[in-house]
Amino acid sequence: MNRKPNYLKILASTFACVLIGFLSTLAIQSVLHDWLAVINKPSFTVPDWLYTSLWLINFALMGIAAGIVWSRGLHHIWVKTALYHFGFQILLTAAWFLTFFEMKMLMLSFLLTLALFVLLLFTVKWFKVVKPSAAYLLIPYTLWIAYTAIVNFEIWRLN
């Protein structure tokens, strides 16, 4: 496997992930000040301004991690496996945004966060096989999804 990081791949994947994160948070801005402002939330819910910032930071870290893995070369089966898990995890993240914010399907979005958390554990495992530093960059996102699952569950329970 290639040992030297390809900064163009890291930059491209970071840009793509941040763009996805930006578009996701942009899409939910009206809901943040509408539906989400009036429903019951647990006391440990982060403020709206911090919420969107944390999502964007996590998307940036995910992009850097994916770029590091991608730099190792797509010809390697472990890299492909890691990136397949990563791609599926991005799709589940998008599905969560859709079900929670747009469809307001709280139980389904909670189940999606559980599935996403399990998938993230596999993604971290495969990223660690390819490049441990890339796996470590996914740890904040994994913790964020665990927190999101708890908040999502509490919002579902309270409403």
Side-chain angles (χ1 to χ4, degrees):
M1 274 195 281
N2 181 11
R3 298 277 178 212
K4 186 177 176 186
N6 183 321
Y7 296 108
L8 188 58
K9 289 179 179 178
I10 294 170
L11 184 63
S13 63
T14 302
F15 177 77
C17 285
V18 169
L19 181 63
I20 291 168
F22 176 73
L23 292 175
S24 298
T25 57
L26 190 65
I28 65 166
Q29 287 306 306
S30 64
V31 178
L32 285 176
H33 304 294
D34 181 21
W35 171 71
L36 202 56
V38 297
I39 63 171
N40 295 320
K41 295 182 285 285
S43 61
F44 52 85
T45 303
V46 298
D48 294 347
W49 64 269
L50 182 58
Y51 181 81
T52 53
S53 300
L54 289 172
W55 271 108
L56 289 174
I57 290 167
N58 278 303
F59 273 100
L61 291 173
M62 286 191 306
I64 294 167
I68 290 170
V69 169
W70 183 19
S71 291
R72 303 297 288 214
L74 283 177
H75 60 281
H76 201 289
I77 190 69
W78 291 348
V79 171
K80 287 181 186 176
T81 303
L83 291 177
Y84 287 141
H85 281 84
F86 181 81
F88 190 50
Q89 166 245 298
I90 291 286
L91 289 175
L92 275 184
T93 301
W96 178 81
F97 269 95
L98 180 66
T99 57
F100 185 84
F101 291 107
E102 295 301 321
M103 301 166 108
K104 300 169 184 70
M105 299 175 73
L106 300 175
M107 184 177 82
L108 180 59
S109 62
F110 169 66
L111 295 174
L112 279 172
T113 58
L114 295 180
L116 179 55
F117 181 77
V118 170
L119 182 60
L120 272 166
L121 295 178
F122 283 105
T123 305
V124 168
K125 173 194 163 229
W126 282 107
F127 272 39
K128 190 172 183 184
V129 167
V130 176
K131 183 75 173 170
S133 61
Y136 300 139
L137 289 171
L138 292 180
I139 291 172
Y141 185 59
T142 306
L143 295 173
W144 177 246
I145 291 303
Y147 167 78
T148 300
I150 294 166
V151 171
N152 192 153
F153 176 80
E154 284 299 304
I155 290 174
W156 174 46
R157 188 182 66 79
L158 293 170
N159 294 283

